[in-house]
């Protein structure tokens, strides 16, 4: 019996400079999260922009994971004001993720977005971002506390209020609130048309979104569920489980489409 290949989950890479050379990189925690929590095979997508045929690429994928990053979406992508001096950007990643998101949603590819990925999801569909949430009146500082030991940086920081009727509401068996970590400077400002706000923080920052009428599982979360210690939490388990099921369903559907028809 031929062994069935695992579903393919595409993960777009960031571009970083190291020792005067450019590298296309995905942090290991995202890769192992896909492998260990869904049983799928990660496929790292280089930030090659116009060299990629996005429609063809998503047709080869069973799922898409969008990661966090030290960089931010360039503000011209959503008609935002210029960033503060020293803000990290990755235009090569933007050139891949934004059209890839639109192609994936259109073709029914399950999509799970984390942190920067959630901001990309909103921008790709026409929404805008707050570039520095901590500078807004009445908002908390959601940035990573770098004074903490690394193993404590992903501890729960604040509650989020879950919207009734959404994906998170279903995955938490109807919970009103859960605790999450917080490691970002940016967040969603105006949600794109067709975006459903799944959860907000205690200071009103949008913490999770989905896409109304998306043909497949599409969820973005602002916090980080991918570190090994956080993946042990019930909410993280539930999200990865739902994403994995959607990805496997997509693989079955693709396999059926490729199967020879009976005469």
């Amino acid at each position: 019996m031929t062994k069935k290949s695992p579903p393919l989950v595409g993960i777009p890479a960031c571009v970083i400079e190291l020792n005067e050379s450019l590298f296309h990189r995905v942090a290991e925690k995202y890769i192992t999260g896909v492998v260990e929590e869904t049983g799928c095979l990660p496929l790292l997508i280089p930030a090659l922009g116009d060299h990629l045929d996005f429609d063809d690429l998503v047709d080869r994928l069973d799922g898409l994971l969008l990661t966090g990053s030290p960089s931010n979406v360039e503000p011209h992508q959503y008609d935002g004001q210029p960033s503060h001096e020293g803000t990290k950007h990755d235009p090569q990643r933007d050139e891949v993720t934004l059209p890839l998101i639109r192609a994936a949603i259109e073709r029914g590819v399950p999509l799970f977005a984390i942190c920067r990925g959630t901001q990309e999801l909103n921008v790709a569909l026409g929404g805008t971002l707050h570039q520095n949430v901590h500078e807004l009146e009445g908002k908390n500082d959601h940035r990573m506390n770098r004074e903490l030991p690394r193993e404590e940086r992903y501890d729960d920081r604040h509650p989020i209020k879950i919207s009734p009727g959404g994906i998170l509401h279903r995955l938490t068996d109807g919970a009103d609130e859960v605790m999450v970590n917080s490691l970002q400077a940016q967040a969603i400002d105006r949600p794109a048309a067709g975006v459903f706000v799944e959860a907000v923080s205690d200071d009103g920052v949008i913490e999770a979104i989905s896409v109304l009428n998306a043909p497949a599982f599409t969820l973005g979360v602002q916090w980080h569920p991918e570190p090994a210690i956080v993946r042990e939490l019930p909410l993280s388990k539930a999200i990865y489980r739902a994403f994995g099921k959607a990805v496997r369903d997509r693989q079955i559907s693709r396999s059926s489409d490729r199967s020879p028809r009976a005469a």
Side-chain angles (χ1 to χ4, degrees):
M1 179 180 296
T2 303
K3 184 178 180 180
K4 186 177 181 180
S5 299
L8 290 177
V9 173
I11 308 180
C14 298
V15 176
I16 64 164
E17 184 175 352
L18 183 63
N19 297 327
E20 300 183 349
S21 295
L22 294 179
F23 291 79
H24 295 241
R25 183 184 72 174
V26 173
E28 184 181 26
K29 59 184 178 177
Y30 298 105
I31 297 169
T32 56
V34 167
V35 172
E36 295 177 1
E37 301 301 328
T38 73
C40 300
L41 178 65
L43 177 68
L44 307 191
I45 302 172
L48 294 176
D50 291 341
H51 294 286
L52 299 174
D53 182 328
F54 298 107
D55 291 335
D56 178 67
L57 178 57
V58 297
D59 285 343
R60 297 168 183 260
L61 296 175
D62 300 303
L64 182 64
L65 179 80
L66 301 169
T67 73
S69 172
S71 69
N72 296 318
V73 179
E74 288 198 308
H76 75 79
Q77 298 286 358
Y78 52 91
D79 295 327
Q81 295 297 312
S83 300
H84 290 343
E85 185 177 353
T87 300
K88 293 181 179 179
H89 293 296
D90 187 347
Q92 289 173 263
R93 170 165 167 158
D94 293 347
E95 290 174 4
V96 170
T97 54
L98 301 181
L100 190 58
I101 288 167
R102 292 187 284 265
I105 293 173
E106 179 182 347
R107 282 172 160 71
V109 177
L111 187 155
F112 179 25
I114 296 170
C115 198
R116 187 198 208 268
T118 297
Q119 296 156 20
E120 290 169 327
L121 173 59
N122 190 55
V123 169
L125 300 180
T128 64
L129 304 177
H130 291 302
Q131 295 190 48
N132 294 282
V133 173
H134 56 283
E135 296 179 356
L136 300 176
E137 184 176 356
K139 303 302 181 186
N140 298 327
D141 192 340
H142 288 255
R143 293 175 296 179
M144 177 192 296
N145 185 349
R146 297 187 181 277
E147 294 182 0
L148 291 174
R150 179 171 293 275
E151 63 272 14
E152 296 180 16
R153 295 177 186 176
Y154 293 94
D155 288 350
D156 289 341
R157 285 266 303 277
H158 61 72
I160 58 170
K161 181 175 178 57
I162 298 173
S163 302
I167 294 174
L168 290 181
H169 195 242
R170 172 172 54 83
L171 294 181
T172 58
D173 295 325
D176 294 324
E177 283 190 354
V178 295
M179 295 292 293
V180 298
N181 55 44
S182 186
L183 297 96
Q184 87 277 1
Q186 297 203 324
I188 292 170
D189 176 13
R190 176 177 54 79
V195 163
F196 176 74
V197 176
E198 291 272 344
V200 296
S201 63
D202 53 345
D203 60 342
V205 172
I206 294 174
E207 288 281 341
I209 59 173
S210 58
V211 178
L212 296 170
N213 301 318
F217 178 94
T218 304
L219 178 68
V221 301
Q222 191 58 72
W223 66 92
H224 285 262
E226 79 285 348
I229 192 170
V230 186
R231 285 193 271 117
E232 295 302 315
L233 300 177
L235 178 56
S236 301
K237 288 284 188 187
I239 293 173
Y240 273 104
R241 189 180 305 117
F243 177 58
K245 180 183 184 304
V247 171
R248 289 188 293 275
D249 288 346
R250 160 79 174 174
Q251 184 193 39
I252 292 170
S253 175
R254 289 205 309 127
S255 297
S256 298
D257 291 342
R258 292 195 302 266
S259 298
R261 304 292 183 183

